[in-house]
Amino acid sequence: AMPQQYPCSRKLCVLYRDNPRVRLQPMRDAFDSLQFERRERNVLSGETNREVYEYFDTLADDQSCDVYDCLVVGLSGCYNALDGWGINVSGLDVDFDRLLEPFSKSPVWRCKPKVFIVQYDNEGLLTKSRICCDANRLPNGSQAAAASGLPVFADTALVLGHGGPQFTVTLCDLVTKFGNQLEFHQLMTLVNQRVLQLPRPDDMAPWSVGVVSHLTKKLYLGQV
């Protein structure tokens, strides 16, 4: 049987920026074109890890978000790239698990698709993150999951881009062009194809896009 499809009639895009050099317009244009409603947080002087977590904890528990069927979060703070999107908010290592798990626990967002888009430049962030390892796929991976009967990060996808501003521009261009036609995983495959073809300095590793998906249904970002 074919997987079911998430309803996505009302959608929210949250853009988080802690560096004034980061350009938000490509993300704004891409998700506005798919009829996402948008919230932004611009912290131009930087924040500590605790403040970052507190902001997203509040978002996870925000009862006004109960009207939304889908969430996309763009995290920026790549302090050494003009157009970059970075998980190193304020140059600090933000823990993926700590950031995302409140959304899986939250009755507001549980069982709804949640997509987090980040650019990373620290491989260590991936090796120490449970969302990126096989152990997380075991059911009842935490007390919260045991209570709901769902894996810790069910219905969550993490898009990890390694490619500087080229990653952001490519992703936004393809989301705008094909977000109404392609299922999420097909769309991310196309993004990866295009990013891998981008020119790069000879001494750098190839650009890449990694998608860690715990989605349980088909997701069409452009569905209205």
Side-chain angles (χ1 to χ4, degrees):
M2 294 294 289
Q4 294 179 326
Q5 184 172 320
Y6 290 107
C8 285
S9 58
R10 192 168 179 187
K11 304 165 288 190
L12 177 64
C13 177
V14 176
L15 303 180
Y16 181 102
R17 173 177 73 165
D18 86 331
N19 188 323
R21 295 188 303 161
V22 175
R23 290 175 51 207
L24 294 181
Q25 203 59 46
M27 276 287 201
R28 289 172 180 150
D29 292 343
F31 288 95
D32 286 358
S33 74
L34 300 183
Q35 300 184 39
F36 276 73
E37 297 176 43
R38 175 161 38 89
R39 297 183 185 182
E40 294 183 8
R41 181 168 176 81
N42 293 286
V43 185
L44 303 186
S45 60
E47 288 191 326
T48 65
N49 277 359
R50 179 182 58 79
E51 290 169 320
V52 174
Y53 296 143
E54 285 178 352
Y55 172 74
F56 284 101
D57 288 349
T58 300
L59 178 64
D61 291 332
D62 186 346
Q63 295 296 315
S64 71
C65 291
D66 200 35
V67 299
Y68 297 110
D69 299 316
C70 175
L71 174 68
V72 170
V73 174
L75 283 168
S76 73
C78 192
Y79 51 90
N80 58 357
L82 182 61
D83 279 330
W85 288 83
I87 193 64
N88 290 356
V89 179
S90 301
L92 302 173
D93 288 344
V94 175
D95 185 320
F96 286 125
D97 301 329
R98 172 64 184 84
L99 197 70
L100 273 57
E101 191 164 358
F103 291 88
S104 297
K105 295 178 180 179
S106 165
V108 175
W109 293 109
R110 188 181 300 134
C111 299
K112 298 177 182 179
K114 302 166 286 289
V115 178
F116 293 79
I117 302 171
V118 301
Q119 178 187 320
Y120 72 93
D121 58 4
N122 183 343
E123 298 289 348
L125 290 172
L126 307 184
T127 59
K128 67 184 181 184
S129 180
R130 284 182 296 116
I131 193 172
C132 299
C133 72
D134 290 337
N136 177 63
R137 290 178 171 79
L138 297 173
N140 304 332
S142 71
Q143 279 193 329
S148 66
L150 295 171
V152 180
F153 298 107
D155 303 298
T156 301
L158 182 63
V159 180
L160 302 162
H162 175 60
Q166 293 90 337
F167 160 70
T168 305
V169 171
T170 302
L171 181 142
C172 292
D173 180 54
L174 294 175
V175 164
T176 301
K177 290 179 180 176
F178 300 108
N180 285 306
Q181 305 170 37
L182 297 179
E183 196 273 334
F184 172 78
H185 297 91
Q186 295 174 313
L187 182 59
M188 292 302 107
T189 298
L190 182 58
V191 172
N192 200 17
Q193 283 180 340
R194 297 289 176 85
V195 170
L196 285 171
Q197 295 169 359
L198 293 171
R200 59 184 174 83
D202 293 337
D203 59 345
M204 291 189 66
W207 307 131
S208 65
V209 178
V211 178
V212 182
S213 176
H214 298 268
L215 298 178
T216 58
K217 301 174 185 178
K218 290 186 175 182
L219 173 60
Y220 289 85
L221 294 173
Q223 178 183 333
V224 294

